Amino acid sequence: MQSLIAEHAPYVALAVMLLTFAAFLFERHPPEVTAAGGAAAFVILGLVTPAEAMAVFSNPAPLTIAAMFVLTGALVRAGVLERVAGAIIELAGDSAVKAVVLLMAGTMLIAGFVNNTPLVLILIPIAIRIARKFDIASTRLLIPVSYLTILGGACTLIGTSTNLLVDGVAREHGLEPFSIFEITPVGIVTALSGAALLGLFGRRLLPDRRGSFARPGEEDQQEFLSEAAILEEGPLTGGPLGEARALKPLGVRVLGVRRGQETFREDLDGFVPRKGDRLILSASASELLTLAADKTLRVGLRRPAGTSGEAVAAEAVVAPAHAGIGRPISELGLGGRFGVWVLGAHRHQHQPGKDLESVLLRPADRLLLEGPPAGLDALSQQGFLVSVTRTSGRAFRRAKAPIAILALLSVVALAALGVMEIAVLAMIAVAAILLLRCLDGDEAWGAVDGSILVLIFSMLIIGTGLQRSGAVDLIVSGIAPGLAGLSPLTTLIVVYLLTSLLTEMITNNAVAVVMSPIVIGLAAQLGLEARPFLVAVMFAASASFATPIGYQTNTLVYGAGDYRFADFLKVGIPMNLVVGLATCWAIAVFYGF
């Protein structure tokens, strides 16, 4: 059996690859599971030796990708991305056009240096807020956010995992490594062409479904009604509320100020708070925990006397039937019984009350709690509050923002100067942000998308099998005669179109790993420089616009918005054509075709 496989190794490898691609298309399993199955088949059939399979783990690309996930996580934990988004809305003022332009321009700029997936997750609620503020259908904004994130990420080597993977394959084949900004001139042309198409024809191509703001409540679900009592002079006193930095983030809204028996709810930006005042707030869990870390404030209801030791935050849902239904939160007595205090209350698509103490509980209300782990565990056994789980929100470490920014900028600058390999620089930066407590170890490992790494390593094993078995040579020898009489530019366009077509059907990283050795062999067969064709693979494998499954950011906005599959076809096909032609032209110009 083994001898038969060895005799027909190229055809067996191609058959396994085609079956793997078919499994990607049918989506019976997640992409990383399908890829792992394909890699296992290559090893079991002897198309890849165990030693060769282990050798793929020395590829620097996955290590760099993992490190960039962590660096992006540090920017999120330090509140940098939220600050940038808040600044965009603040700069826009009352101009809808300015808000949209700033959002899209900022998206492209940031995407060149941070991981796309967490960036889009942060931008979705920002886009929804802008849509609500200016009465724009969110369906007009979310697809452009995804597309421009893709285009911005393609502008630098570290902007997307696809570019790093192609660079890793190129190194394995003895080619010069790509520098961090080598592809930027092409990327700028590509990004501008896509942005111009959306700007000129977006109104006609993008759906306008007003009144159906992206699964709504996505932004609202994160906000809790709370109060913050000012215990002593601090950052919230001595100036108007509108200038208080702690209240600037997008996830915080001041609804009123209580001073003694009087409550102020008008002209709050100019209100000057003082010691003893209580701010009525609506804020996300992370922002409430950030405010709670300020010793000059007491967030939520009064903390139980004598409480000491470690306190953890949790969220809980009010059970459907209990004697506490209809009673104010202040009468629950959670502090005396469990040592737990309430930081905030959330009610789906409604403000639960005029202030936290007066909230009359209803079934399915969500409470943000803080207290000792033992108290929260005891509370979960009582049946009044169900789903008592540790909250995913964490206090922002905004004081660490300069460190997180400096770490990322250092990687970019030193890599651009050729001081060290990007992978090494990124790992040093990760070590620095961990040692300096920009984020904790569990957050760092949680920021790494393990499924993407499994997919990447699996596809690298498949790529090794295709190369070792002779399948790549077989593909090249089959394609090359048909391209022999074509100009280099026409050949480039064919490579781009093939890569783009595959990316629309299966995951971009898989296509990048498979296509890179093919185009290197094809360029050698045709007597052409391989570098321009690898750049075409980089952009074509990222520039997936026509389906919601070709790129993960498309999938995110597809799930968050009121979109249909056909919406992506309507705007994505013109994007593919315009961006593809612009990219091929730019590659031809900058690489001297």
Side-chain angles (χ1 to χ4, degrees):
M1 182 68 176
Q2 272 314 110
S3 61
L4 186 63
I5 291 174
E7 185 180 349
H8 302 284
Y11 301 98
V12 174
L14 280 177
V16 175
M17 183 190 73
L18 291 174
L19 286 173
T20 304
F21 278 16
F24 278 129
L25 281 173
F26 286 111
E27 296 183 297
R28 293 290 296 273
H29 300 285
E32 65 274 12
V33 175
T34 299
F42 269 85
V43 174
I44 291 169
L45 294 171
L47 299 170
V48 175
T49 66
E52 290 169 333
M54 294 304 297
V56 304
F57 292 94
S58 64
N59 190 306
L63 182 66
T64 309
I65 292 165
M68 294 308 299
F69 271 119
V70 176
L71 292 178
T72 302
L75 293 175
V76 172
R77 183 66 194 276
V80 174
L81 298 184
E82 284 83 359
R83 286 285 192 186
V84 171
I88 288 172
I89 289 184
E90 189 174 346
L91 286 171
D94 294 325
S95 170
V97 173
K98 192 174 181 182
V100 173
V101 170
L102 285 172
L103 174 66
M104 300 308 167
T107 295
M108 283 198 295
L109 181 62
I110 298 170
F113 303 99
V114 303
N115 184 264
N116 289 345
T117 304
L119 176 61
V120 169
L121 285 172
I122 289 170
L123 289 175
I124 284 172
I126 306 305
I128 294 171
R129 177 168 291 188
I130 290 175
R132 286 175 172 164
K133 180 177 180 179
F134 296 107
D135 191 27
I136 304 169
S138 61
T139 50
R140 287 279 180 89
L141 297 182
L142 291 178
I143 280 180
V145 163
S146 175
Y147 286 1
L148 294 177
T149 301
I150 293 170
L151 293 172
C155 287
T156 68
L157 187 64
I158 63 172
T160 174
S161 57
T162 307
N163 294 353
L164 288 166
L165 277 175
V166 174
D167 176 60
V169 174
R171 291 171 186 241
E172 288 183 345
H173 284 76
L175 275 68
E176 271 303 306
F178 283 85
S179 64
I180 192 168
F181 293 118
E182 179 178 335
I183 60 173
T184 301
V186 176
I188 291 173
V189 173
T190 300
L192 290 177
S193 67
L197 176 67
L198 290 172
L200 294 173
F201 301 103
R203 285 181 174 272
R204 297 181 182 178
L205 298 174
L206 292 164
D208 184 356
R209 299 192 185 103
R210 298 174 188 271
S212 183
F213 290 101
R215 269 196 201 159
E218 290 290 337
E219 175 187 24
D220 176 62
Q221 285 172 5
Q222 302 176 6
E223 293 189 350
F224 291 82
L225 178 68
S226 185
E227 297 181 10
I230 301 177
L231 304 179
E232 55 187 83
E233 301 297 326
L236 295 182
T237 59
L241 285 173
E243 297 178 7
R245 289 183 58 84
L247 304 177
K248 288 282 188 184
L250 289 172
V252 180
R253 290 184 294 137
V254 180
L255 306 177
V257 180
R258 180 180 297 166
R259 177 173 291 170
Q261 300 301 313
E262 191 173 3
T263 301
F264 302 90
R265 296 187 182 271
E266 304 291 336
D267 301 321
L268 294 177
D269 282 348
F271 189 93
V272 180
R274 61 193 186 201
K275 180 181 177 180
D277 288 350
R278 296 171 67 183
L279 307 182
I280 303 169
L281 305 168
S282 178
S284 66
S286 294
E287 293 294 355
L288 284 181
L289 293 173
T290 303
L291 291 171
D294 188 338
K295 302 302 182 183
T296 68
L297 303 175
R298 184 183 68 240
V299 175
L301 301 182
R302 186 177 300 277
R303 181 170 177 155
T307 304
S308 60
E310 180 191 5
V312 297
E315 293 184 30
V317 178
V318 177
H322 193 275
I325 299 295
R327 294 169 54 193
I329 288 180
S330 56
E331 295 181 9
L332 292 179
L334 299 181
R337 296 162 61 194
F338 306 103
V340 173
W341 59 102
V342 179
L343 294 180
H346 165 77
R347 182 169 296 156
H348 183 62
Q349 294 188 334
H350 294 284
Q351 186 173 308
K354 61 181 182 180
D355 54 43
L356 185 59
E357 285 189 348
S358 65
V359 171
L360 301 179
L361 290 173
R362 295 182 186 176
D365 281 354
R366 182 174 289 273
L367 301 181
L368 180 64
L369 309 170
E370 195 168 51
L376 290 168
D377 291 340
L379 176 61
S380 67
Q381 305 299 318
Q382 298 301 304
F384 167 48
L385 297 176
V386 297
S387 272
V388 181
T389 56
R390 303 294 187 264
T391 180
S392 59
R394 297 205 186 192
F396 289 113
R397 294 177 177 173
R398 293 199 167 96
K400 304 291 186 179
I403 298 173
I405 295 171
L406 181 62
L408 180 61
L409 292 179
S410 298
V411 171
V412 173
L414 295 177
L417 294 172
V419 174
M420 225 178 276
E421 296 287 340
I422 295 176
V424 177
L425 290 169
M427 290 304 298
I428 293 172
V430 167
I433 62 174
L434 287 172
L435 289 170
L436 296 172
R437 299 296 305 277
C438 287
L439 77 171
D440 298 327
D442 63 322
E443 295 173 291
W445 319 140
V448 177
D449 191 334
S451 63
I452 289 182
L453 294 184
V454 170
L455 170 67
I456 287 171
F457 281 121
S458 299
M459 290 308 303
L460 286 172
I461 291 173
I462 291 174
T464 299
L466 292 173
Q467 188 74 39
R468 181 179 178 274
S469 66
V472 170
D473 294 334
L474 183 65
I475 294 170
V476 170
S477 62
I479 296 175
L483 301 176
L486 301 179
S487 68
L489 178 57
T490 306
T491 305
L492 183 76
I493 293 173
V494 171
V495 167
Y496 186 99
L497 288 176
L498 177 60
T499 307
S500 180
L501 180 62
L502 288 173
T503 303
E504 295 294 357
M505 296 184 290
I506 59 178
T507 178
N508 57 307
N509 288 322
V511 173
V513 173
V514 171
M515 285 298 297
S516 294
I518 291 174
V519 300
I520 291 172
L522 182 63
Q525 186 93 350
L526 297 174
L528 300 172
E529 169 65 37
R531 211 167 189 80
F533 295 96
L534 287 171
V535 175
V537 170
M538 285 183 181
F539 282 91
S542 291
S544 171
F545 305 114
T547 71
I549 59 174
Y551 203 86
Q552 56 264 35
T553 60
N554 287 352
T555 307
L556 288 175
V557 298
Y558 181 54
D562 185 21
Y563 287 119
R564 303 178 185 122
F565 197 96
D567 294 330
F568 284 85
L569 292 174
K570 184 177 179 182
V571 65
I573 291 174
M575 280 286 291
N576 277 347
L577 294 174
V578 170
V579 167
L581 289 173
T583 302
C584 291
W585 174 83
I587 293 172
V589 170
F590 290 111
Y591 284 88
F593 269 13

